[in-house]
Amino acid sequence: GNSVTQMEGPVTLSEEAFLTINCTYTATGYPSLFWYVQYPGEGLQLLLKATKADDKGSNKGFEATYRKETTSFHLEKGSVQVSDSAVYFCALSTGFQKLVFGTGTRLLVSP
Amino acid sequence: DAGITQSPRHKVTETGTPVTLRCHQTENHRYMYWYRQDPGHGLRLIHYSYGVKDTDKGEVSDGYSVSRSKTEDFLLTLESATSSQTSVYFCAIKTSGDTGELFFGEGSRLTVL
């Protein structure tokens, strides 16, 4: 079946550090891949997406590249800010109207 | 922008009691979803709807039922709540043609004692 595996957190960084959150997937067919972000006390928000191999999604300084050969979609940001502290979810969709989420990775950024 | 209102936002109840959570959208989006969020599990799909009176099960549907009598409302019912159903419940709507682009409500925190 379809599944998403994320690195366990929390990831603790200082402001302006480089961020990588790993995500790998297992899927039948050709999934679309997503990163969602959840700020404290809020629902999830779509951060970025990629719909086919080698696509790069980007938003708010975050990037992720759809790597079919390694079945990965790692999230990166060159310089994190305190305001980036949140829980990040990797997810995939295979077009059957359902989204499968990873377990989430908490990011804590200190000044 | 799409708008979702979940109610109640917080509820404490006792084992064995029925509970209904409501999700209301302000636009006429066809697809609506109920997820639960638990530590170590991320978000898991309970049920979803693809139109009025059209619903289907997700991966964790046991103990839950849903109804959609109007486009704008999607109800999640726990017929007899159990402690394992203590969770945060999120409603979501699909706002574009891409299946993965969901807009989420702010969540309903349910505690079953």
Side-chain angles (χ1 to χ4, degrees):
Chain A
N2 299 328
S3 65
V4 175
T5 302
Q6 289 182 236
M7 60 189 293
E8 289 198 21
V11 174
T12 304
L13 295 172
S14 298
E15 203 165 28
E16 299 184 1
F18 184 85
L19 168 71
T20 299
I21 299 178
N22 291 337
C23 170
T24 57
Y25 67 90
T26 301
T28 54
Y30 302 95
S32 294
L33 301 174
F34 306 84
W35 277 101
Y36 278 78
V37 59
Q38 183 180 32
Y39 299 103
E42 299 183 9
L44 279 71
Q45 304 173 26
L46 179 64
L47 180 59
L48 53 84
K49 71 173 187 178
T51 58
K52 60 183 187 297
D54 300 325
D55 268 2
K56 177 185 285 187
S58 62
N59 186 25
K60 299 181 181 180
F62 291 89
E63 295 183 339
T65 301
Y66 189 142
R67 302 286 188 197
K68 184 179 178 182
E69 63 275 13
T70 55
T71 62
S72 65
F73 192 55
H74 305 321
L75 182 68
E76 296 181 336
K77 187 176 185 182
S79 177
V80 294
Q81 305 300 312
V82 172
S83 58
D84 293 327
S85 297
V87 181
Y88 293 82
F89 292 90
C90 186
L92 69 82
S93 165
T94 56
F96 290 99
Q97 314 307 335
K98 298 178 185 179
L99 198 59
V100 175
F101 287 90
T103 55
T105 302
R106 183 176 299 276
L107 171 64
L108 300 171
V109 181
S110 57
Chain B
D1 286 346
I4 295 179
T5 303
Q6 290 188 229
S7 59
R9 294 290 314 281
H10 301 274
K11 185 173 182 65
V12 179
T13 191
E14 294 189 349
T15 298
T17 60
V19 176
T20 295
L21 305 180
R22 178 179 182 242
C23 177
H24 176 80
Q25 62 161 320
T26 57
E27 299 181 0
N28 293 321
H29 294 289
R30 180 180 175 193
Y31 287 89
M32 299 183 75
Y33 304 80
W34 277 108
Y35 285 88
R36 59 178 289 174
Q37 182 178 22
D38 304 288
H41 292 279
L43 273 80
R44 293 178 291 175
L45 182 64
I46 305 171
H47 282 280
Y48 69 101
S49 170
Y50 47 96
V52 174
K53 299 189 189 305
D54 291 324
T55 65
D56 204 353
K57 297 179 179 180
E59 63 179 306
V60 290
S61 60
D62 286 349
Y64 302 94
S65 63
V66 290
S67 66
R68 192 163 177 205
S69 59
K70 298 185 290 185
T71 298
E72 59 266 35
D73 289 327
F74 191 33
L75 304 181
L76 177 70
T77 297
L78 293 66
E79 300 289 349
S80 177
T82 67
S83 58
S84 65
Q85 294 175 311
T86 292
S87 186
V88 181
Y89 292 86
F90 287 96
C91 176
I93 56 178
K94 189 175 78 160
T95 57
S96 76
D98 193 316
T99 296
E101 292 194 36
L102 301 185
F103 180 85
F104 283 82
E106 294 184 326
S108 296
R109 181 175 296 275
L110 175 67
T111 302
V112 183
L113 302 176

